[in-house]
Amino acid sequence: MLNVICYRTTRLLTNKLTILKLMATESTFQGKDSVVLKRGPKSYKDIINPRILSEVMDKRVINLMDCFRRNGFEARVAGGAVRDMIIGVTPNDIDLATNAPPEVMQEFLAREGYRTEPTGIKHGTILVVMGDSFNTEVTTLRIDKVTDGRHAEVEFTNDWELDAARRDFTVNAMFMSQQGEVRDYFNGVVDLSELRIRFVNNPEDRIREDYLRILRYFRFYGRISAVSNKHEEYTIAAIRDNAAGLKKVSKERIWRELQQILVGDHCVSLMKLMYELGVANAIGLPEPGNFKELDRVWKVHKRVRNIGGSGLYPEAMFISLLDGGTEHSVGQLCSTWKMSNREKKFAIFIVLQRAFFTKLVIKGEFTDERFSKHCKDLIVDGTPLSHILELMKYLSRPDDEIDHLQNWKIPQFPVTGHDLLALGLQGKELAEAKQGLMDKWKENYYRLS
């Protein structure tokens, strides 16, 4: 299950950030004709919650950063981990940036007993394996020399600001020292305090370096922003002008981003905007999108999430955009999107069941009892309980009904193949007899008389 942190306004607006907003200089407009200016970082001390800082900077991380210092280099926590800590969230992953060249850091890390893997050595990234399922990526500071919208040829540097300048958003372009001091080159702290997502410098430049950043904009907007439609005009213009570039990006990368947009905040308004800007067409979303169904399902997802549940699967949100669909057409669509087999089977299941119950409603034959019985039959037939519970959430069934089915003791069919063999049945005759008895057993509410 995709684990997505949905950032709420109450978690973002702390007294400390409000104070910082008043102290810091506001970000200047960074429109189409802006240029990168060397201006040095703003430094913020004591803005990280001490509890979160101690959780992140445990002995293993401190020892690793000390190793760089002993060898004449510096390592800092980088990017998303810094962003999360500032807003009061303990990050799931910790990435480090360093001014040590990749081959040099491999050499001294090995000398000091660390096991490393060159996971992205071409781009300056190595994985430091520290045991207990705790691994950290360390990347040499770099600039993107040549880009084609998907890949980049990089050049290593020892300039922290140049590395920050090639990152996507201001809130992701910060570094943190071992002592918890945040170095902010592009007013990411201010933008966080304003609940705002901005590209670093010129949005068109950042997008053309990697067109996937268009989708990352929508994803982070859903995470950070408190309102559904407060986009800056020059950002929207840059996205509209470059949306076609997403056709160059692999469906696997697009699906990973889209999943998080679908289950993040402001999903419906963001998806509508993606259709308006040509993003949906560029990535191959169903057209026209069924926004009425998406809005209904999104409200269910939000309600479930707000009471402590996990919300709906991204595939369920995706399928809600489809107006109709058959097993074949949905299967093809899922294959095009490079969904996993589990995601594909679940998406087909939702579409078929949605169509089944829609027909019952149209015919006036839908009842709560019939719905409950159908779901129980699906479970008895081997459909995963998780699929059934997700279907019930998708169709806005009452919580007590969902709880009942979740705690329902699945009955055991009382006839086995051995019983029928003892009666002299074999092969096809045995299979047909067993299926006939099971059908009668289910029709009789799981009793044989």
Side-chain angles (χ1 to χ4, degrees):
M1 184 63 179
L2 186 65
N3 181 22
V4 178
I5 299 173
C6 294
Y7 300 97
R8 308 304 303 163
T9 307
T10 53
R11 300 175 74 179
L12 289 165
L13 285 177
T14 64
N15 289 336
K16 193 171 292 277
L17 277 180
T18 303
I19 294 171
L20 286 169
K21 181 178 67 173
L22 298 174
M23 293 174 59
T25 302
E26 282 288 351
S27 300
T28 56
F29 177 84
Q30 297 175 31
K32 184 175 180 180
D33 299 320
S34 65
V35 295
V36 178
L37 298 176
K38 292 280 287 183
R39 54 190 173 190
K42 292 183 175 69
S43 294
Y44 298 97
K45 297 180 180 179
D46 303 322
I47 69 169
I48 306 294
N49 182 294
R51 176 188 60 80
I52 293 176
L53 184 62
S54 64
E55 288 177 0
V56 173
M57 303 301 292
D58 66 11
K59 186 176 181 179
R60 294 167 298 185
V61 177
I62 290 174
N63 288 344
L64 178 59
M65 295 174 82
D66 279 342
C67 175
F68 280 81
R69 179 181 52 79
R70 284 193 302 273
N71 286 276
F73 299 99
E74 184 180 5
R76 300 178 188 172
V77 180
V82 182
R83 177 200 67 230
D84 286 353
M85 286 188 285
I86 291 174
I87 63 177
V89 175
T90 301
N92 292 324
D93 301 302
I94 303 163
D95 295 331
L96 301 181
T98 181
N99 53 359
E103 293 80 7
V104 174
M105 68 169 156
Q106 275 188 302
E107 181 182 338
F108 68 69
L109 285 170
R111 188 171 63 244
E112 297 215 15
Y114 286 99
R115 182 164 70 87
T116 64
E117 297 177 4
T119 52
I121 195 69
K122 182 179 178 181
H123 292 90
T125 300
I126 66 168
L127 182 72
V128 181
V129 182
M130 294 191 280
D132 299 326
S133 300
F134 184 82
N135 305 322
T136 298
E137 283 192 345
V138 187
T139 302
T140 300
L141 302 177
R142 66 185 193 234
I143 57 176
D144 296 334
K145 293 293 289 184
V146 180
T147 61
D148 64 3
R150 292 183 299 170
H151 311 105
E153 293 180 14
V154 304
E155 179 179 295
F156 301 125
T157 180
N158 59 5
D159 189 315
W160 294 88
E161 184 170 349
L162 288 180
D163 183 273
R166 57 105 190 154
R167 294 176 182 259
D168 50 10
F169 308 112
T170 62
V171 299
N172 294 337
M174 297 179 283
F175 303 101
M176 188 190 77
S177 71
Q178 184 174 323
Q179 293 73 34
E181 180 181 354
V182 173
R183 305 284 181 87
D184 178 10
Y185 293 89
F186 296 98
N187 288 321
V189 169
V190 172
D191 286 338
L192 274 180
S193 71
E194 296 284 356
L195 310 179
R196 178 173 56 211
I197 294 298
R198 276 182 169 169
F199 285 94
V200 173
N201 287 309
N202 187 347
E204 286 200 5
D205 290 344
R206 298 292 80 75
I207 289 171
R208 288 171 181 171
E209 289 164 355
D210 184 353
Y211 290 105
L212 191 69
R213 287 173 172 172
I214 291 175
L215 295 185
R216 285 174 62 80
Y217 171 81
F218 291 110
R219 169 159 71 92
F220 280 105
Y221 187 95
R223 284 189 174 190
I224 299 296
S225 181
V227 294
S228 62
N229 195 20
K230 192 177 180 181
H231 307 276
E232 295 181 318
E233 290 183 10
Y234 62 90
T235 298
I236 294 304
I239 290 173
R240 181 187 291 109
D241 292 346
N242 292 279
L246 281 163
K247 295 177 181 179
K248 298 180 179 182
V249 182
S250 71
K251 277 294 191 287
E252 291 92 339
R253 294 181 73 202
I254 289 175
W255 176 234
R256 284 196 294 270
E257 292 294 328
L258 187 63
Q259 287 179 80
Q260 298 183 72
I261 296 170
L262 288 168
V263 296
D265 286 344
H266 317 309
C267 164
V268 179
S269 64
L270 291 175
M271 293 301 296
K272 286 182 178 178
L273 184 58
M274 288 168 60
Y275 273 80
E276 292 170 9
L277 298 179
V279 173
N281 177 267
I283 64 177
L285 283 174
E287 293 195 70
N290 188 347
F291 292 113
K292 182 178 179 180
E293 178 71 353
L294 177 64
D295 184 61
R296 183 193 68 78
V297 175
W298 160 246
K299 288 174 180 175
V300 173
H301 169 77
K302 186 176 181 180
R303 183 187 67 80
V304 172
R305 196 183 66 191
N306 286 346
I307 61 175
S310 58
L312 290 167
Y313 292 165
E315 312 88 86
M317 307 298 294
F318 178 83
I319 287 302
S320 70
L321 282 166
L322 278 177
D323 190 5
T326 64
E327 180 174 356
H328 177 70
S329 66
V330 174
Q332 280 192 322
L333 181 65
C334 293
S335 296
T336 299
W337 277 84
K338 307 297 183 182
M339 292 186 188
S340 68
N341 285 333
R342 185 204 65 78
E343 292 168 339
K344 180 177 178 180
K345 289 178 181 178
F346 174 74
I348 292 172
F349 171 77
I350 287 290
V351 167
L352 295 182
Q353 295 303 316
R354 181 177 68 182
F356 173 76
F357 287 113
T358 298
K359 288 179 181 178
L360 290 184
V361 171
I362 292 172
K363 293 178 179 179
E365 298 175 0
F366 181 90
T367 64
D368 290 344
E369 182 181 5
R370 184 165 184 176
F371 178 85
S372 177
K373 179 64 167 56
H374 179 77
C375 288
K376 289 176 179 177
D377 285 350
L378 288 172
I379 294 173
V380 168
D381 289 338
T383 302
L385 177 61
S386 60
H387 282 25
I388 309 298
L389 298 177
E390 194 77 2
L391 171 68
M392 295 178 78
K393 287 189 289 186
Y394 183 95
L395 296 175
S396 306
R397 302 305 299 171
D399 292 340
D400 58 348
E401 187 176 301
I402 295 174
D403 291 340
H404 169 74
L405 194 68
Q406 192 166 14
N407 297 311
W408 181 59
K409 185 177 180 180
I410 303 174
Q412 193 72 32
F413 182 52
V415 179
T416 68
H418 291 295
D419 295 329
L420 299 177
L421 281 171
L423 295 175
L425 299 177
Q426 296 182 33
K428 182 179 179 181
E429 187 180 19
L430 185 151
E432 290 176 348
K434 186 177 180 181
Q435 186 61 55
L437 288 171
M438 178 168 278
D439 290 343
K440 290 184 179 295
W441 176 68
K442 289 192 295 185
E443 289 171 10
N444 201 33
Y445 283 80
Y446 319 111
R447 294 187 299 271
L448 280 179
S449 56

